[in-house]
Amino acid sequence: SLQNIEHELLMLAASDDPVIQSEANTVGEYTDMMKAGKLSKDEYIELLADVQHTISIHQNMSEMQAKERLNVAINGLISLASLV
């Protein structure tokens, strides 16, 4: 139900992840605007799809950053092992 989804958005808005927090707030604002008649159904769906795309981009960037940090750590360990 819409009520359950809105509750979930409130929970996500309190997330420790700043991207999730921001996007959950954005989705809540879009939902309020749609309910108030300030957005058409099609505009609302398009904006929500844009939010999903933004989240996906951030996830990919986070994964790349984590992989880069792992590579740096591994290279450091290889260097240390070579010195021994």
Side-chain angles (χ1 to χ4, degrees), residues 27-68:
V27 169
E29 290 171 16
Y30 291 159
T31 301
D32 290 343
M33 291 171 69
M34 199 246 338
K35 287 178 6 184
K38 295 179 182 176
L39 290 174
S40 71
K41 179 182 80 168
D42 290 337
E43 289 171 321
Y44 179 66
I45 290 169
E46 186 176 329
L47 289 169
L48 292 180
D50 287 344
V51 169
Q52 285 182 318
H53 184 70
T54 299
I55 291 169
S56 176
I57 289 170
H58 282 284
Q59 285 175 333
N60 289 337
M61 288 175 54
S62 292
E63 288 172 13
M64 287 187 331
Q65 288 171 344
K67 287 176 185 174
E68 180 61 28

